Amino acid sequence: MKLGVYNAILHDRPLPQALEVVADLGLTGIELNSGGFLPPVHIPTFDDILVSDTARDDFLGIFEGTGVSIAGLNCNGNPLHPNPVIGEKHAEDVRRSVRLAQRLGQHRVVTMSGLPGAEPGATVPTWVVNAWNSRDLDIIEHQWSVAVPFWTEIDALAQDHDVKVALELHPQNVAFNPANLRELVERTGATHVGVELDASHLFWQQMDPVAVVRDLGPLVFHAAAKDVRINPAAAVHGVLDNRFRRLDPSEDRTNLGGDEWVNEWPKDSAWDFVALGKGHDVAFWAEFLRALHEVDPDMVCNIEHEDVSLGRVEGLQVAAGVLLEAARVAGV
């Protein structure tokens, strides 16, 4: 298996310095952000690479001798957003990322399945969490009518470019669990659309990531190592804890496209993203890697660092220590 880092946490430094950090961790891969919610900071010559062999070779030359190679592209966003300022931009980022992957000799693009509005003419996405009302099933059916043509198109594009598109099972998407993902594949007949198995979003949904890997089997194309800690507040607020605070424009905040921004996490949250080992021990991560290896011995698993209690490099060091030990225990 190939173990690496998703580069968003290292966007504060140039690519050569980011590669040094990854190499110093004892890891060999870096997953590069290529659009969506975040700009492609470490691919400044993106447009040139698409058309110029010289630009492509110059970019790939940055990796030579570093011990670190590209381990997939990532353009997480909402390509089905009903606001075209966001949806059309993120959809085009997916298409461009598939084309860029082929140019760079990559075969995996990570993104999200997206989320449309509740009805024709909607301007904001609607996430149906619990479809107990018949109206909710009407909403979901409308959303499939939007999702299926797009993902049928992307599947064909991915086939043409020898790329597989791996969807993160993430909240506020049409596919956020295995059943949704299978429905997407069945409705589209996709052969090149599957899953990026990010354990973190399964943990808070009270799912077992190892069981999910073994359930989805060959539909798992790529993986992310990110941990979750369930906190005592979950006993009162539940895992659908919704006590987020809107950040003021004067505060440091992350844009998600258009006039949409990341909110502040609850102070005493029901659950948190944490570095590997702070939610689940080495034994768990060894079994996770073992399950991934059973699906594909060449599977890539990249650390995603979102533990706000730890610094950028500090958090990666903690996670890398656990992941490398898990790989040793698992024998992968």
Side-chain angles (χ1 to χ4, degrees):
M1 292 182 65
K2 186 170 189 175
L3 306 179
V5 170
Y6 170 44
N7 75 323
I9 195 65
L10 298 174
H11 276 180
D12 66 327
R13 66 203 71 203
L15 178 57
Q17 291 181 20
L19 297 178
E20 290 179 9
V21 171
V22 176
D24 288 346
L25 295 171
L27 304 173
T28 59
I30 186 167
E31 183 178 310
L32 299 176
N33 188 265
S34 55
F37 292 136
L38 300 175
V41 172
H42 286 155
I43 318 176
T45 56
F46 195 132
D47 292 339
D48 295 331
I49 294 170
L50 290 177
V51 297
S52 165
D53 289 352
T54 299
R56 177 199 60 197
D57 294 344
D58 287 347
F59 181 72
L60 292 175
I62 297 172
F63 297 84
E64 291 180 4
T66 66
V68 179
S69 58
I70 304 173
L73 303 180
N74 186 309
C75 59
N76 276 337
N78 185 357
L80 305 181
H81 198 299
N83 179 347
V85 171
I86 301 173
E88 290 182 7
K89 192 268 183 187
H90 289 183
E92 186 59 20
D93 283 350
V94 174
R95 298 183 187 100
R96 282 164 49 83
S97 294
V98 169
R99 297 185 182 103
L100 182 69
Q102 183 192 51
R103 293 285 295 162
L104 296 176
Q106 294 295 302
H107 301 280
R108 297 291 185 270
V109 169
V110 176
T111 187
M112 296 173 181
S113 54
L115 187 65
E119 57 193 358
T123 59
V124 295
T126 296
W127 185 35
V128 175
V129 180
N130 187 336
W132 71 275
N133 189 315
S134 61
R135 176 202 62 223
D136 297 326
L137 291 179
D138 293 338
I139 291 172
I140 292 172
E141 196 56 42
H142 164 69
Q143 292 177 328
W144 280 124
S145 75
V146 176
V148 168
F150 176 75
W151 286 110
T152 300
E153 172 208 338
I154 297 301
D155 182 64
L157 181 69
Q159 288 186 57
D160 289 345
H161 289 76
D162 191 23
V163 170
K164 289 192 174 182
V165 179
L167 304 180
E168 183 176 353
L169 300 180
H170 192 282
Q172 299 192 32
N173 281 270
V174 293
F176 61 94
N177 62 40
N180 303 149
L181 187 281
R182 278 201 170 89
E183 186 165 3
L184 186 152
V185 170
E186 290 168 2
R187 284 179 179 251
T188 60
T191 58
H192 283 60
V193 175
V195 170
E196 185 235 19
L197 209 297
D198 180 341
S200 66
H201 297 296
L202 307 183
F203 285 137
W204 70 260
Q205 292 184 73
Q206 303 295 295
M207 297 153 68
D208 177 356
V210 173
V212 172
V213 172
R214 292 187 168 130
D215 178 74
L216 290 173
L219 285 173
V220 179
F221 295 162
H222 200 78
K226 184 169 68 169
D227 210 345
V228 159
R229 179 184 59 217
I230 305 297
N231 298 322
V236 174
H237 300 289
V239 296
L240 295 179
D241 186 3
N242 213 20
R243 295 168 298 135
F244 291 82
R245 183 180 74 87
R246 186 192 305 271
L247 291 167
D248 186 85
S250 65
E251 299 179 89
D252 184 23
R253 57 181 186 167
T254 300
N255 182 250
L256 297 174
D259 192 28
E260 296 187 3
W261 307 83
V262 174
N263 294 321
E264 184 182 66
W265 204 260
K267 297 296 185 185
D268 60 333
S269 58
W271 55 270
D272 292 304
F273 294 121
V274 292
L276 265 62
K278 293 173 68 175
H280 298 78
D281 61 14
V282 167
F284 168 83
W285 291 106
E287 189 62 18
F288 180 69
L289 293 179
R290 194 175 291 117
L292 292 170
H293 187 266
E294 290 169 2
V295 172
D296 179 1
D298 296 322
M299 183 75 69
V300 173
C301 184
N302 294 321
I303 294 168
E304 184 175 1
H305 173 37
E306 293 187 5
D307 187 332
V308 297
S309 71
L310 298 173
R312 294 171 186 264
V313 175
E314 179 190 15
L316 290 175
Q317 290 170 335
V318 171
V322 172
L323 190 63
L324 288 168
E325 176 62 13
R328 186 193 68 78
V329 172
V332 298

